[in-house]
Amino acid sequence: MKSSLEKITKVQNELWNRNKRMVREEGVPWIKRGEENSPLLIHGMRKVGKSTLLSQLAREVGDEVFYLNFDDPRLVGFSLSDFDRLDDLIEESGKPILFFDEIQVVERWEEFVDKKYAEGFNIVATSSVAFSAQSSQRKKGRPSKQVKELLPFSYREFLANNEASGSMDSFVDYLYRGGFAFVLFRKDGEKLVELIHQVVIPEICLRNNIFNKKLLLQMLNFLLANSGEKISGNKLKKEFEIGSTTTVMDYFNFLEEAGVLYFLPKYSESIHKQQVNPRKVYAVDTALLHHFLLLTEDNIGKLLENAVFLFLKRQFERIYYFSEKSDCDFVAGSKRKIKLAVQACLEIDPSAIRKEAKGLLEAMDTFGLKSGFIITMKQKDKIQIQGKTLKIVPAFEWMS
């Protein structure tokens, strides 16, 4: 295996080093900040840009990286004993930094990562499946790990890679094309549909012993069509005539683990209430909505709200929707404090602002916020109501 493994790593590195076109801003600070150089685990959906990020980081640190992508057909059957052969190759390379792509396909990978960290290596590993909470926890005799999620290219990254400036036209272009590199730069949206149908969904089924792939696809289509809406396990149980709500919730978890969808909880200080209340569903990328649902300009509000969600997800540790007497699309902050309230709205009538911003104002009252945001396509204004400031900001300006 050692000789074939050596050939595989050589070929992989030649192909990987060609990936020099795209630049990612997101993720670079994770490496530079570091936490005592503890292993960094990065997860995100297939083709989201994890290898692009690793390639960029490798260029920044120079010729000090040993790279291996475990998701290679030639490495099928990689076993625990093969780690010994990999150890030899790493030692022979003399490189102090280890980059492992798609490490989740190898059993007992954590033991190997812990071993190499103890030997003094800096390690970055990626996965197309969300790392478990246990992966990041410090265990006796083992290091804690940083766990981060990488999302598709942000609007800011889209502008940087296209040498463009923020404008409504460029933002609309971004909404439709989304943030997956192969769609952004090759303008091939059908490849995204193929990726979901031919790779992501089959992998979810294989990993979780799901035999009804058609049902999972139907559920995904339903959830995408209801992006931004409140969804419950009971609702889908009836919609798809599934015997158990638990089964539906398992499907939700599988889609979220694969980085395809996110289920946003209602704000409550009670964890139990967060769990039992309906959740709002959002896609990992606006292009999923566009290409799966064939959305037109009449439906662009869904894309805008989804883009606002993704922007907040990049910025804040915790995000919720707010729903008491009235609703507010998003409240965001840290574990201890809500710091921001946001409403997404294509266009707002200034003469009816009190009515249209009722939920936003209620959320601001609840969390003691003096200002709140209404994110629109092109409107810009600042309105004072009840001693509070409502900042109406175009999305392209807010996100660029």
Side-chain angles (χ1 to χ4, degrees):
M1 176 61 137
K2 182 182 174 183
S3 60
S4 60
L5 188 58
E6 186 174 9
K7 291 176 184 177
I8 292 168
T9 57
K10 184 177 179 180
V11 171
Q12 283 187 0
N13 276 269
E14 287 174 355
L15 293 171
W16 181 60
N17 285 326
R18 293 178 193 170
N19 188 9
K20 296 183 177 180
R21 178 184 174 190
M22 295 168 286
V23 176
R24 297 225 59 169
E25 295 175 1
E26 185 178 356
V28 175
W30 302 340
I31 306 291
K32 293 184 176 178
R33 278 199 302 267
E35 292 178 8
E36 300 177 351
N37 293 321
S38 58
L40 173 62
L41 311 180
I42 301 173
H43 65 92
M45 192 183 129
R46 288 278 186 184
K47 301 292 183 182
V48 83
K50 300 185 295 293
S51 296
T52 298
L53 175 61
L54 292 186
S55 179
Q56 179 181 336
L57 293 171
R59 295 196 301 274
E60 292 190 13
V61 299
D63 188 30
E64 296 188 333
V65 175
F66 181 95
Y67 171 81
L68 180 62
N69 186 345
F70 286 101
D71 190 29
D72 187 311
R74 295 164 294 186
L75 292 177
V76 170
F78 190 98
S79 65
L80 195 61
S81 62
D82 293 319
F83 278 124
D84 294 331
R85 297 170 180 85
L86 179 57
D87 250 339
D88 292 339
L89 286 179
I90 292 171
E91 184 177 351
E92 290 169 12
S93 75
K95 297 180 177 180
I97 303 173
L98 309 179
F99 282 1
F100 297 132
D101 240 344
E102 303 296 348
I103 200 168
Q104 82 285 348
V105 303
V106 182
E107 292 184 7
R108 298 175 70 176
W109 62 266
E110 281 191 82
E111 295 176 26
F112 183 70
V113 166
D114 291 340
K115 173 178 176 289
K116 301 314 289 181
Y117 173 75
E119 293 173 1
F121 289 89
N122 290 336
I123 303 166
V124 183
T126 76
S127 169
S128 295
V129 184
F131 291 105
S132 67
Q134 288 78 16
S135 295
S136 63
Q137 292 174 353
R138 186 184 295 275
K139 300 176 184 177
K140 187 175 181 180
R142 294 188 180 184
S144 61
K145 302 178 182 71
Q146 306 172 69
V147 177
K148 303 289 184 180
E149 180 176 16
L150 188 67
L151 296 174
F153 280 66
S154 66
Y155 177 54
R156 186 180 297 137
E157 290 174 314
F158 166 77
L159 294 176
N161 282 278
N162 284 282
E163 298 181 351
S165 56
S167 68
M168 194 180 85
D169 288 343
S170 66
F171 183 68
V172 170
D173 189 25
Y174 172 73
L175 286 182
Y176 286 126
R177 287 161 63 183
F180 282 91
F182 60 90
V183 180
L184 268 179
F185 303 105
R186 299 176 195 169
K187 300 184 180 181
D188 192 355
E190 286 304 309
K191 290 291 184 184
L192 182 56
V193 178
E194 290 177 15
L195 175 67
I196 297 294
H197 279 263
Q198 298 177 14
V199 179
V200 177
I201 293 297
E203 283 185 346
I204 293 174
C205 292
L206 181 64
R207 190 164 53 245
N208 299 290
N209 297 315
I210 297 173
F211 300 104
N212 194 341
K213 184 174 78 171
K214 182 179 178 182
L215 175 61
L216 185 61
L217 267 172
Q218 288 174 334
M219 188 177 292
L220 173 60
N221 281 320
F222 180 88
L223 291 167
L224 289 172
N226 287 275
S227 171
E229 304 295 331
K230 296 173 186 175
I231 295 292
S232 69
N234 272 328
K235 180 177 181 179
L236 266 74
K237 174 188 170 184
K238 295 174 184 176
E239 179 75 25
F240 292 98
E241 298 180 348
I242 296 173
S244 166
T245 304
T246 302
T247 302
V248 176
M249 299 308 293
D250 284 343
Y251 278 28
F252 285 5
N253 289 332
F254 299 152
L255 289 166
E256 193 160 27
E257 284 175 356
V260 182
L261 297 176
Y262 299 99
F263 296 90
L264 188 69
K266 174 186 173 182
Y267 176 82
S268 174
E269 293 182 356
S270 164
I271 299 298
H272 175 70
K273 288 183 179 179
Q274 288 182 21
Q275 292 172 341
V276 300
N277 273 291
R279 297 192 169 210
K280 291 175 71 174
V281 60
Y282 293 99
V284 68
D285 192 58
T286 54
L288 274 183
L289 302 180
H290 175 50
H291 292 292
F292 265 75
L293 306 178
L294 302 176
L295 293 180
T296 64
E297 289 185 7
D298 295 333
N299 306 107
I300 199 170
K302 278 187 176 292
L303 301 183
L304 173 63
E305 185 175 337
N306 207 111
V308 170
F309 164 75
L310 293 171
F311 179 81
L312 291 171
K313 186 170 177 58
R314 289 182 172 93
Q315 306 296 322
F316 290 94
E317 183 182 7
R318 300 291 174 93
I319 317 170
Y320 309 91
Y321 73 87
F322 178 85
S323 182
E324 294 301 331
K325 294 178 182 177
S326 300
D327 288 359
C328 177
D329 288 333
F330 307 106
V331 293
S334 63
K335 290 180 181 179
R336 297 183 178 182
K337 186 178 181 181
I338 294 297
K339 300 177 181 179
L340 190 71
V342 180
Q343 194 78 15
C345 184
L346 274 180
E347 189 174 1
I348 193 159
D349 180 0
S351 65
I353 188 72
R354 286 180 180 273
K355 180 180 179 181
E356 295 193 34
K358 193 175 179 181
L360 176 60
L361 289 165
E362 185 183 355
M364 291 164 64
D365 276 336
T366 300
F367 302 110
L369 303 173
K370 294 181 179 180
S371 61
F373 287 86
I374 299 174
I375 307 305
T376 67
M377 287 303 292
K378 60 182 179 181
Q379 283 176 286
K380 184 173 183 177
D381 204 348
K382 187 181 288 187
I383 299 174
Q384 299 290 330
I385 297 180
Q386 302 168 1
K388 294 180 172 58
T389 303
L390 302 185
K391 299 177 182 178
I392 302 172
V393 186
F396 72 85
E397 183 178 305
W398 192 55
M399 297 185 192
S400 61

